[in-house]
Amino acid sequence: MEGGGKVAYSYGGGLHHDTKLLKSFSSVEPRKFGIGLFAGLLIVTCAYFSTAKFDAVHIAMSKQPISSAAKNAVGFSSPVNAGDNSKQPLDLGEQDQDALSKEGRSKAEAEKDDVGGGISNSGIAVATTAPPDPAAEGGKDDEVAEKDDDPSVVAVLPPLSSDSADTAQASGVLEDQELQVQNAVAEAANPPENSDGVSSSTNGSSPSVIPFPSDPAEIPAPAPSPAVDAPADQIPEMEAPPPPTPIQLIPPTPEVKQADWEAPAPEWKPLCDVTSNHRIDWCELDGDVRVLGANASVTLVAPPGADGRTFREESWRIKPYPRKADPNAMRNVREVTVRSVSGGAPACTDRHDVPALVFSDRGYTGNYFHAYTDVVLPLFLTARQYAGEVLLLVTNHQAWWVGKYAPVFRSLSKYEPVDLDRDPRVHCFRRVQVGLTSHDDFSIDPRRAPNGYSMLDFTAFLRAAYGLPRDAVLPVAPRGQGQGRRPRLLVISRARNRRFLNVEQIARGARRVGFEVVVSEGGHEVAPFAELANSCDAVVGVHGAGLTNMVFLPRGAVVIQVIPLGPLEFVASYFRGPSRDMGLRYLEYRVAPEESTLVDRYPRDHPVIADPGSIKAKDWVSFMGVYLFEQDVRLDMKRFRPVLKKALSRLRAKPKNN
């Protein structure tokens, strides 16, 4: 009672100090009493909520034994003597229930241990500085202490007097202990997760979560055994009963089959399109496709499990050449049967990992212009997107023709073209297209083309296929700025019809204007003439297949098309639009009647001269026979010289979009 009348609070003495403790309350300062009262209420509140939260699990816990591994998984902490490392953790599944009411160590051991581990009445491991209950030292009391008498509850209370000899801690101890209690409650409410992000369970694998019980008294004791009081090292191992079915607190995840998330098979669409393109009929087949050249058949085999929504049996007859409206052109094109079947398809002899294109090289391909517009250009438009990984299957195969355009075939496919008509094998593919994509004569519509291909892409492809060095014209010095380089003009002469009858006069006039002139007709081999055309800056020729060589000109070059006498506006368009699409500069010259040899054959009042439209209205053969096959041209250089000057000025001007 010394030192200002304050009575020191002591934990020593256990329960026999309760009377003295109550008597000392009257002399405790109100502020410290309030702090102690608040701490006590906090402990009681935490214990209450912990008990209420896990009430539902107590029943389940009381029906099955809990192994030491399970208790460790959910957070049991057994008292361990810090001074004696030989002590083993408490195993409730193998030791007597008496261990729940006893501390399991002597008073001397407890005095060595200033701070030990304990279990509070809420099931939370907390630190305690109190010695063990004297009632537990004798080892005779089998009852579990009541909650109000549990020393672990008292252990978390701070000392009531800061002058006590047993408590010399700073004023922040109360706050630290409150935080410990709150953290312990939070851990009990949110069990730790394992490495897979799933809360630990009693068996270590089930997603079910069994919370820690709030009262050790609710844990059932194991069945009585005669050897229960024997030393720990002599206790025989007991065969654990099979565990009951665990309570599944989390609903099982439904099994998702692959068929549930896979996109459904697309609905069937016709194999062939014979209406949308005015130039060609074409077919697309995807799946198990078998091509037999001996009978010119392309067969799609039904996949397993196909139904009426995803597969239908069809049969089509297609001529894979892009002039379906011209009976004369289609007359010699072989017909290909395209079908879909559920069975009876020929067995595969050769399987391919690349797609295939089926087309014909007959029709009008003997004509240089038609070779490009009917096959070479559509083949580029269809096959270029595969970057060489495509097989070309050719019907009506003409070896000389394929050899003539060999650089084109080698640049589009890494494989030799197959002569389908003479091939007895059954080629099997995952994708086949019958017929080539074609937009118009000597033209590409980038809006409809794969990868937005254009005529610029086509001419760049041809220059690369033939190894041509010039992609664009070289600059030409303006007039009055020195001699500079003279631009080169190619004059295309013809051997039979629509010939230049005064080619030497044309060449002299072009040189006077400022051109270097080259005159050539070309030959069977494409590569030499391609190199010549690529070396020139301008080309002039009468309407005809020879102007097709404009595909080899460098970008920015000038094309001069001479239109013979007659209503040839529509045939002139074969080169007018495409030349501009190729990045070339186009000029046109229409001959006067005096410049045509038709005036030598027909009088001036003849319909051929006076009324060309009447000849065109008759039929194509009459029209072609007169205006394309019967006339030659003799240019009037006084009329033609301004066109040459205009071509030269275009070359001196800065190219647009080149």
Side-chain angles (χ1 to χ4, degrees):
M1 301 295 289
E2 296 177 357
K6 297 180 181 179
V7 179
Y9 183 85
S10 173
Y11 288 106
L15 296 177
H16 65 274
H17 288 291
D18 289 348
T19 304
K20 184 186 295 185
L21 183 62
L22 291 175
K23 290 179 181 180
S24 67
F25 282 163
S26 60
S27 60
V28 176
E29 292 182 4
R31 180 180 65 83
K32 296 182 178 180
F33 178 78
I35 293 175
L37 182 60
F38 172 76
L41 290 175
L42 179 63
I43 297 301
V44 173
T45 301
C46 293
Y48 171 77
F49 280 104
S50 176
T51 304
K53 182 172 183 179
F54 303 117
D55 251 354
V57 187
H58 292 168
I59 298 175
M61 294 290 292
S62 64
K63 292 182 179 180
Q64 56 182 349
I66 300 178
S67 66
S68 61
K71 290 185 283 294
N72 290 337
V74 297
F76 269 103
S77 177
S78 301
V80 179
N81 193 330
D84 187 359
N85 293 333
S86 64
K87 295 292 182 178
Q88 299 297 322
L90 182 62
D91 190 340
L92 297 179
E94 299 178 1
Q95 297 185 13
D96 191 75
Q97 183 67 20
D98 293 344
L100 296 175
S101 61
K102 301 177 182 180
E103 294 298 325
R105 57 181 180 176
S106 65
K107 182 176 181 180
E109 290 174 334
E111 290 174 352
K112 295 178 183 179
D113 205 359
D114 291 338
V115 179
I119 301 177
S120 72
N121 66 332
S122 61
I124 304 167
V126 297
T128 177
T129 57
D133 191 345
E137 295 178 5
K140 297 179 180 180
D141 188 2
D142 293 337
E143 288 186 49
V144 178
E146 295 296 329
K147 293 181 181 180
D148 293 339
D149 297 331
D150 191 346
S152 64
V153 177
V154 182
V156 298
L157 291 176
L160 296 181
S161 174
S162 60
D163 298 335
S164 173
D166 297 333
T167 57
Q169 301 182 13
S171 60
V173 172
L174 177 60
E175 288 80 358
D176 293 341
Q177 291 178 344
E178 289 175 357
L179 289 175
Q180 292 177 10
V181 173
Q182 293 173 5
N183 292 338
V185 173
E187 290 180 4
N190 300 282
E193 294 185 349
N194 57 24
S195 60
D196 296 329
V198 180
S199 298
S200 300
S201 62
T202 55
N203 57 11
S205 60
S206 172
S208 303
V209 179
I210 300 181
F212 188 89
S214 61
D215 193 344
E218 296 182 14
I219 301 177
S225 172
V228 73
D229 294 331
D233 56 352
Q234 297 181 8
I235 297 178
E237 295 185 359
M238 299 175 58
E239 183 177 353
T245 303
I247 300 175
Q248 185 71 37
L249 300 181
I250 301 176
T253 303
E255 181 181 358
V256 179
K257 298 181 179 179
Q258 186 175 7
D260 295 337
W261 56 263
E262 283 185 345
E267 293 188 8
W268 177 261
K269 67 175 183 179
L271 296 175
C272 301
D273 184 345
V274 298
T275 59
S276 66
N277 195 311
H278 69 282
R279 291 179 55 80
I280 190 170
D281 297 331
W282 56 282
C283 310
E284 287 183 339
L285 298 87
D286 292 285
D288 182 1
V289 188
R290 308 181 186 188
V291 181
L292 176 57
N295 61 1
S297 67
V298 180
T299 304
L300 175 65
V301 181
D307 54 23
R309 186 185 70 85
T310 60
F311 188 85
R312 298 175 189 171
E313 292 193 353
E314 297 179 352
S315 182
W316 304 77
R317 293 184 180 275
I318 301 297
K319 288 189 174 184
Y321 184 79
R323 291 207 172 264
K324 68 178 183 179
D326 187 345
N328 189 53
M330 304 298 286
R331 180 175 52 196
N332 296 321
V333 177
R334 189 184 188 191
E335 195 173 61
V336 177
T337 300
V338 179
R339 58 177 182 159
S340 54
V341 299
S342 299
C348 298
T349 60
D350 293 72
R351 295 185 179 274
H352 306 274
D353 295 329
V354 298
L357 299 178
V358 179
F359 63 96
S360 172
D361 67 354
R362 192 57 62 93
Y364 292 145
T365 55
N367 177 276
Y368 192 65
F369 171 77
H370 285 281
Y372 280 88
T373 191
D374 294 351
V375 177
V376 175
L377 177 56
L379 188 59
F380 162 82
L381 193 57
T382 311
R384 182 61 171 173
Q385 59 185 313
Y386 297 111
E389 294 297 334
V390 62
L391 187 60
L392 306 179
L393 308 179
V394 187
T395 66
N396 307 118
H397 185 277
Q398 303 176 91
W400 69 267
W401 189 90
V402 174
K404 181 176 182 177
Y405 299 98
V408 174
F409 285 93
R410 286 196 297 265
S411 298
L412 290 175
S413 175
K414 298 177 181 178
Y415 313 96
E416 287 294 323
V418 175
D419 182 355
L420 195 59
D421 300 343
R422 296 178 177 84
D423 194 329
R425 296 172 294 176
V426 178
H427 297 273
C428 293
F429 304 89
R430 301 302 300 172
R431 176 175 174 79
V432 174
Q433 178 170 330
V434 180
L436 303 176
T437 303
S438 180
H439 295 163
D440 210 341
D441 285 315
F442 211 33
S443 180
I444 293 176
D445 183 356
R447 297 168 298 179
R448 301 159 55 194
N451 300 321
Y453 291 139
S454 67
M455 291 298 287
L456 282 172
D457 297 312
F458 176 58
T459 54
F461 161 75
L462 288 177
R463 289 194 295 267
Y466 285 93
L468 305 180
R470 298 179 69 204
D471 288 329
V473 294
L474 298 176
V476 177
R479 179 178 297 179
Q481 296 185 9
Q483 294 296 325
R485 185 187 69 86
R486 293 170 64 89
R488 201 175 196 195
L489 173 66
L490 171 62
V491 179
I492 299 177
S493 63
R494 295 173 61 89
R496 291 185 296 274
N497 48 54
R498 281 166 282 150
R499 296 173 299 168
F500 283 129
L501 297 180
N502 59 337
V503 64
E504 290 298 330
Q505 187 181 5
I506 296 171
R508 286 195 303 269
R511 292 188 187 100
R512 290 174 183 173
V513 170
F515 283 100
E516 177 187 343
V517 180
V518 179
V519 180
S520 178
E521 180 185 2
H524 175 78
E525 296 296 328
V526 177
F529 201 79
E531 293 176 4
L532 176 62
N534 186 251
S535 69
C536 295
D537 304 283
V539 61
V540 58
V542 182
H543 168 81
L547 284 176
T548 307
N549 289 291
M550 68 172 66
V551 297
F552 303 117
L553 290 173
R555 288 180 293 109
V558 176
V559 175
I560 305 173
Q561 179 176 204
V562 177
I563 310 298
L565 184 65
L568 299 174
E569 178 67 24
F570 75 98
V571 295
S573 65
Y574 292 162
F575 300 107
R576 183 187 299 125
S579 65
R580 293 166 178 165
D581 293 340
M582 296 176 194
L584 306 176
R585 288 175 274 204
Y586 178 80
L587 296 174
E588 197 170 279
Y589 178 81
R590 294 178 178 272
V591 302
E594 292 78 11
E595 295 176 281
S596 173
T597 58
L598 290 178
V599 297
D600 300 332
R601 300 187 180 188
Y602 300 93
R604 289 288 184 138
D605 58 352
H606 193 281
V608 171
I609 307 297
D611 188 14
S614 63
I615 305 299
K616 182 181 179 181
K618 281 186 177 182
D619 55 73
W620 173 253
V621 175
S622 299
F623 169 80
M624 219 171 40
V626 172
Y627 296 107
L628 295 180
F629 296 154
E630 290 186 5
Q631 72 170 316
D632 295 321
V633 174
R634 184 183 295 105
L635 294 182
D636 183 349
M637 291 308 297
K638 290 182 179 180
R639 292 186 68 228
F640 187 64
R641 186 175 291 110
V643 178
L644 292 174
K645 291 181 178 180
K646 193 173 184 177
L648 186 60
S649 66
R650 294 283 179 91
L651 292 173
R652 287 171 175 165
K654 183 178 180 180
K656 296 181 180 179
N657 301 324
N658 290 317

